[in-house]
Amino acid sequence: YRRLHKLPVSSIDDALASVGMSDQANTAVAKLTPTAQRRLAFARSLMARPSILLLDQPTLHTDFDTQTLFARLIAQASADNVAVLLTVEDLAWAGKFCTRVIELEDGRIISNRCNTAETTTSDPVEPERLIPYKVPARKEDRIILFDPGDILYATSRDGKTMLHTSSEEAATNLTLQELEGRLVGRGFFKAHRAYLVNLQHIRAVIQYTRNSYTLLLSDPAETMIPLSKQSEKELQALLGY
């Protein structure tokens, strides 16, 4: 990539240092964690000092430290007169530093918010005001609107998607895939093909055999959720344990 843009050799060290990966200069890309690969891709995009930076969901499958790093690098690029355009599901993250936040739904603009210097420094965009969201589910003769933070996990059972909190369960008309799409950026993780789990309610990861894992939740019932081998690797990279 350096040769492609006719950059000096020193640009490699500078790029790696900018994303905190100087100690992994000799590691094959395929052996890097998903988060580290995201950091490397970000560093590459900055090497040629572009005047326009296009980023498609840069924080997808990254940990909190990487999200904080990317926010700082984007703000720095903007201060250096780089025009930055990004797409992202987590408006709570983007709203902290973007000067304009446009929310789309089904291809249409439903919110167009401009953040002035005053609002971005002293009055940051509040995530719940930007993207208020409840998960609708039916229980008996009523529709219940669940706060995503109260949901322990969702599972697909007998052709229905069931929402589980610490005290009740209810069926939602959303498929598990649709629910996963709506909850991106709100701390939910696909632990298994039939389970979507709220990371904030995970107490422990239990390994029974070399390829067998289970999640222990923090609810009073100490619910156990199956965790696939591939998902365990993704969770390990995401949380850094």
Side-chain angles (χ1 to χ4, degrees), residues 200-211:
Q200 300 305 314
H201 292 293
I202 296 177
R203 177 181 295 173
V205 178
I206 302 172
Q207 183 175 10
Y208 290 111
T209 66
R210 183 177 180 181
N211 298 317

Side-chain angles (χ1 to χ4, degrees), residues 44-241:
R44 263 199 322 265
S45 68
L46 296 175
M47 283 182 69
R49 300 186 180 277
S51 57
I52 300 176
L53 186 60
L54 303 178
L55 303 171
D56 183 22
Q57 299 208 60
T59 60
L60 190 65
H61 300 314
T62 59
D63 55 27
F64 179 78
D65 289 341
T66 299
Q67 294 170 21
T68 302
L69 171 66
F70 285 0
R72 179 173 60 79
L73 292 175
I74 290 172
Q76 181 179 321
S78 178
D80 292 336
N81 294 320
V82 176
V84 182
L85 175 65
L86 62 92
T87 63
V88 69
E89 295 280 357
D90 188 359
L91 296 187
W93 173 78
K96 294 176 181 177
F97 59 88
C98 288
T99 54
R100 182 178 293 276
V101 177
I102 299 174
E103 186 176 0
L104 302 177
E105 185 174 293
D106 296 327
R108 296 184 177 182
I109 294 176
I110 62 173
S111 175
N112 189 341
R113 185 184 298 265
C114 182
N115 299 332
T116 63
E118 290 76 16
T119 57
T120 54
T121 55
S122 61
D123 186 23
V125 177
E126 297 177 21
E128 289 307 313
R129 288 170 58 189
L130 270 176
I131 44 173
Y133 182 64
K134 296 281 188 177
V135 181
R138 180 178 293 276
K139 188 175 183 182
E140 298 174 351
D141 61 345
R142 65 186 65 185
I143 300 297
I144 302 176
L145 301 177
F146 287 96
D147 186 320
D150 294 332
I151 298 173
L152 293 174
Y153 68 96
T155 184
S156 179
R157 189 177 68 205
D158 299 327
K160 295 182 179 180
T161 302
M162 305 298 297
L163 304 178
H164 294 260
T165 70
S166 59
S167 60
E168 60 183 330
E169 73 169 18
T172 176
N173 289 331
L174 298 170
T175 66
L176 200 65
Q177 184 176 0
E178 290 172 337
L179 189 60
E180 182 182 9
R182 295 196 182 193
L183 293 176
V184 168
R186 293 178 181 270
F188 281 77
F189 180 78
K190 190 73 169 290
H192 188 273
R193 64 178 180 275
Y195 287 88
L196 187 64
V197 182
N198 189 336
L199 289 174
Q200 300 305 314
H201 292 293
I202 296 177
R203 177 181 295 173
V205 178
I206 302 172
Q207 183 175 10
Y208 290 111
T209 66
R210 183 177 180 181
N211 298 317
S212 177
Y213 302 88
T214 299
L215 294 176
L216 172 65
L217 303 189
S218 58
D219 60 312
E222 296 189 330
T223 301
M224 307 285 277
I225 300 294
L227 178 65
S228 70
K229 180 181 178 181
Q230 180 59 39
S231 293
E232 193 280 331
K233 290 181 179 180
E234 294 176 3
L235 187 63
Q236 185 179 131
L238 181 64
L239 301 181
Y241 63 84

